Every structure is written in C-alpha cells, then in structure tokens.
Amino acid sequence: EVRLVESGGGLVKPGGSLRLSCVASGTSFSGFTMTWVRQAPGKGLEWVASISGSSSYISYADSVKGRFTISRDNAQKSVFLQMNSLRVDDTAVYFCSRRADGESYWGQGTLVTVTS
Amino acid sequence: SYVLTQPPSVSVAPGQTARITCGGSDIVKKSVHWYQQRSGQSPVMVVYDDSARPSGIPERFSGSNSDNTATLTISGVEAEDEADYYCQVWDSPTDHLVFGGGTKLTVL
C-alpha cells in the first residue's frame, strides 16, 4: 500500500518559517515527480510546488516563489517544503501528492496556521 | 496565467446524471484530470487524461474534453458521490499546475 505522510505543520507568526516533510512508503520514489498542494480553510485546492525525481526540474506557484523551497531526499523517500516569510494567507492544509499515469496518491495533510 | 472555470455548485437527484464542466482556453489541447474530495478527506483522482478511469473508480464516472470545455459525468449518481470536484491541468507555457475552483455536488 502506498502511503504519503506529511508532518511539520503548526502555528507560526507572520514572517516566520516552517519546514514541512512528506515521507513515502510502499512504493519506489526516485522516479516520480512530487507535488505540494494546499487548501485554505473552506477554499479550493491550490498548487504550491513540484519537483522532478532527480530534482533537476522544480516549479513554484507565483504566490510562493521566492519564499518557499521544495527539495527531496530520494534515499529517505522524502520531499520537503521550506516555507519562509510566512503570511496570514499561507494558512492552509498542505498536502503532498504524486500522480503518474493512472495513479494518484495524497497524504492526509498537515495544517499550517499563520497568525499573530 | 491559465485559468480553469468550474460552476460553484451542481445539484442532482439520486439515480440521475450529473455533469460538471471545466472551461479553459484551448483546454482540448491539454490532459485534464478530475479529483473528488469528500468532506474532511484528501482528494481522490476519479478521471485522468480526459477520459480514463483509475483502477477502483466506479464505471459511472466518465470524462470528456472538447472545444473549450472538459466535462466530468457521473451517471446514476449515488449519495456517496456528494463531494467537491476539481479539474486539473498542467499548463506547459508557464510550467504551472492549475486547479479549477471546484464544484460542490449535492445529491438531493
């Protein structure tokens, strides 16, 4: 069974930083692009960032570019999201996900709350 | 930036057919994926590459993509289909993943 488990969310003040982690199990990892998607309370899904299997290709949403950094450690089957200069509107549940061909996997999400 | 437009809500009686649209410029040139998100749960892909169905997804879920609109069709809607549905594409010119705003399906 493929599982993605996120961690690292929490309460942080505006301007602060958090590092989210997502660990995969039950599957190979290095060959797949991994993606972070967030969902603000009561709102829709918003793409945040994606990273290719070899980390050679990385892309960010305009709303987080320059503040967030996506990375991965294939040996640890993990993907990370370093979030700096956090803003109130970054408050959301952050999901890591993987989609390839006819399969899509999502974690349960980790809540990030940015408030003063 | 590329925009996908979905109706905020669709309502249908049990056993009827629900159609959820996703509009976008030249969307026919893109591969559209659809996700179902039940309340409090993580999204589940119900259609990929416009019209293919992942393993384990009921046959009542189908998709199409033509002109400027992609459509998710749920035939013989059941109470368990009540959820939010999102379309998604990869926009090559911007290298951005794009989601539609989501459609809340209510089963009357």
Side-chain angles (χ1 to χ4, degrees), chain A residues 63-115:
Chain A
S63 58
V64 307
K65 195 167 187 177
R67 301 187 298 122
F68 291 10
T69 301
I70 189 172
S71 62
R72 64 191 293 161
D73 180 340
N74 287 338
Q76 298 298 319
K77 293 190 176 181
S78 297
V79 60
F80 308 101
L81 188 67
Q82 177 66 43
M83 304 187 296
N84 298 332
S85 303
L86 282 162
R87 309 188 300 222
V88 171
D89 62 358
D90 293 319
T91 294
V93 173
Y94 285 73
F95 297 97
C96 74
S97 70
R98 184 192 97 185
R99 191 196 68 78
D101 299 322
E103 296 180 330
S104 174
Y105 301 101
W106 294 67
Q108 83 289 348
T110 187
L111 177 63
V112 172
T113 303
V114 185
T115 180

Side-chain angles (χ1 to χ4, degrees), chain A residues 22-41:
Chain A
C22 170
V23 179
S25 60
T27 178
S28 59
F29 184 76
S30 62
F32 295 98
T33 292
M34 297 297 295
T35 294
W36 286 97
V37 174
R38 68 184 180 183
Q39 187 169 37

Side-chain angles (χ1 to χ4, degrees), chain B residues 10-21:
Chain B
V10 168
S11 298
V12 63
Q16 298 304 303
T17 296
R19 294 180 179 85
I20 298 173
T21 58

Side-chain angles (χ1 to χ4, degrees), chain A residues 35 37 39 43-47 50 57 59-62 95 99-109, chain B residues 1 33 35 37 41-45 48-49 53-55 84 86 88 90 94-101:
Chain A
T35 294
V37 174
Q39 187 169 37
K43 302 298 184 182
L45 301 175
E46 180 189 14
W47 171 70
S50 296
Y57 177 81
S59 184
Y60 297 98
D62 293 344
F95 297 97
R99 191 196 68 78
D101 299 322
E103 296 180 330
S104 174
Y105 301 101
W106 294 67
Q108 83 289 348
Chain B
S1 60
H33 317 297
Y35 295 87
Q37 187 180 32
Q41 298 186 18
S42 301
V44 173
M45 189 169 69
Y48 68 99
D49 290 350
R53 198 170 46 250
S55 175
D84 294 323
Y86 297 90
Q88 178 205 75
W90 180 260
T94 59
D95 278 344
H96 283 185
L97 196 65
V98 180
F99 285 96

Side-chain angles (χ1 to χ4, degrees), chain B residues 4-100:
Chain B
L4 293 173
T5 302
Q6 298 183 235
S9 63
V10 168
S11 298
V12 63
Q16 298 304 303
T17 296
R19 294 180 179 85
I20 298 173
T21 58
C22 175
S25 178
D26 285 336
I27 195 172
V28 67
K29 297 179 180 178
K30 304 182 184 299
S31 288
V32 181
H33 317 297
W34 290 91
Y35 295 87
Q36 175 196 69
Q37 187 180 32
R38 295 189 176 108
S39 179
Q41 298 186 18
S42 301
V44 173
M45 189 169 69
V46 293
V47 166
Y48 68 99
D49 290 350
D50 298 339
S51 59
R53 198 170 46 250
S55 175
I57 299 301
E59 291 184 6
R60 63 180 182 273
F61 288 89
S62 63
S64 63
N65 187 5
S66 63
D67 297 326
N68 287 321
T69 303
T71 303
L72 173 69
T73 301
I74 310 172
S75 304
V77 166
E78 300 183 4
E80 67 179 24
D81 299 331
E82 187 162 285
D84 294 323
Y85 290 85
Y86 297 90
C87 56
Q88 178 205 75
V89 301
W90 180 260
D91 182 45
S92 298
T94 59
D95 278 344
H96 283 185
L97 196 65
V98 180
F99 285 96

